Structures are given as structure tokens and as C-alpha cells.
Amino acid sequence: MAEEGAAWLSHLRARPALGLLALLVVVSLASYLGGSHLAGQHLLQAQAQDVAELQLNHTGLRQDPRLSWQGGPALGRSFLHGAQLDKGQLRVQRDGIYRLHIQVTLTNCSSSAKDTVPRRAILTVGICSPATHSISLLRLNFGLSCTVSSQRLTPLARGDTLCTNLTLPLLPSQNSDETFFGVQWIHP
């Protein structure tokens, strides 16, 4: 076997163009394998992003101002990737800058021209856990409207739990086209 390798090497020395071609093949193969490894790492990083689109998990009269959320493919357009639900509240699993968005529509609400008295409804989104990071991120007043919606970029830390609160005793619509909440990790 060593003799065959030596014969192949002496053959390459006799024909420099063949040696150069062999070298190019080896370098190209190494470059391709290294590049596909990097592409694979990039793909894994992209798949590791926290992203969630949640719908309301409502089962009757509300006794707590916190809105409870649910997510998963069985619910239709709702999903959770990376982020987790903890008792209906969204918890992020990695540090970074997130885009969060929310829309809430009130049930039994009319936005007719006759309505001139502002509703005392307020929707807040904030970090509720851990307590050391507790802070309000959004505060939306319904005013004369039946729907509020907003989005923002905000830094979140691994383990931050987001809570959404709606003034009691008002009821949010369970329709997933009218009431939804989500986050998307966009930058470390």
C-alpha cells in the first residue's frame, strides 16, 4: 500500500498540472465542508430564536386582571418556538432585543358615534417576573375605542416573564383575529 502511495506521488511530480488539480480539489472540498458547517451553525442559530404568537385562554368570568395566553399548532395560527408559557404568561429563554406586539378587543363593545364617554379600560404589558426586573413596557388606554394594539422593541433577559393586564371586569374577545399577543427575538 505504501508503494502505491509513493507511485502516485511520483506520478504527480512528473505531471505538475495534475498535482495542482489534486491540490485544488482538496482545498475546494475542505472549503465546501467548512462552509457548509458554518451554514449549518447559522441555521441552528436561526432556529434557536424565541418566537411566539399566542391567543387568549379565557374560560368565563375574570377575577384576575392578568390575561392568560395559550399557544400551539392545534390552535391554528398560534405557536411557541423557544419561548415558554408559565401559567398562561409568556417567558423568554434567551437574552436579547425582542419585538413584542399585542392587540386586544373588548367583548360587548360598540364604537358608535353616540359613545362620547371614554371607557376606563387600560391594557398593560410588563415584565412581572423576576421581581427584580419588574417594569411596565406598554400602557394602552382604550378611550372611545373597542380595540387597542401596539408593538415595540425592548431588551429582555432570559427568564423574564411577560404579563398582560386588562382592567376588571371588562372581558377581552376570544376571537384570535381580534385578540392576540406575541414576541420575536431579533438581536442578541
Side-chain angles (χ1 to χ4, degrees):
M1 180 113 166
E3 293 172 0
E4 290 175 2
W8 187 76
L9 188 57
S10 66
H11 186 65
L12 285 179
R13 285 187 195 142
R15 296 189 180 181
L18 190 57
L20 183 58
L21 180 62
L23 179 63
L24 284 174
V25 167
V26 169
V27 169
S28 296
L29 183 60
S31 175
Y32 172 77
L33 292 176
S36 66
H37 175 69
L38 292 176
Q41 283 180 334
H42 180 69
L43 182 60
L44 287 175
Q45 287 174 347
Q47 291 173 345
Q49 290 183 1
D50 284 10
V51 62
E53 182 69 21
L54 307 173
Q55 63 188 45
L56 191 64
N57 184 10
H58 178 67
T59 56
L61 294 176
R62 294 178 51 231
Q63 298 179 8
D64 183 347
R66 284 188 187 178
L67 298 179
S68 183
W69 302 96
Q70 60 185 343
L75 301 171
R77 294 183 306 259
S78 176
F79 53 86
L80 275 164
H81 298 289
Q84 297 177 339
L85 283 173
D86 181 15
K87 297 178 185 168
Q89 307 305 306
L90 184 64
R91 184 174 58 232
V92 298
Q93 296 302 306
R94 68 188 296 182
D95 295 348
I97 298 173
Y98 285 78
R99 182 183 69 83
L100 68 88
H101 63 276
I102 190 164
Q103 176 176 302
V104 173
T105 299
L106 301 174
T107 59
N108 301 324
C109 182
S110 169
S111 293
S112 71
K114 297 177 188 176
D115 289 341
T116 57
V117 179
R119 291 170 186 70
R120 297 184 185 262
I122 295 175
L123 174 70
T124 60
V125 179
I127 300 171
C128 58
S129 178
T132 56
H133 289 162
S134 182
I135 188 171
S136 177
L137 300 172
L138 288 173
R139 183 177 176 86
L140 307 170
N141 190 325
F142 281 80
L144 298 175
S145 179
C146 294
T147 300
V148 293
S149 62
S150 187
Q151 64 178 340
R152 74 171 297 170
L153 296 175
T154 189
L156 297 174
R158 184 179 203 273
D160 281 352
T161 301
L162 301 178
C163 296
T164 55
N165 297 321
L166 177 63
T167 308
L168 287 173
L170 299 168
L171 294 175
S173 170
Q174 294 182 56
N175 183 328
S176 62
D177 292 332
E178 296 178 335
T179 301
F180 49 86
F181 174 50
V183 297
Q184 179 184 14
W185 179 89
I186 60 167
H187 195 269

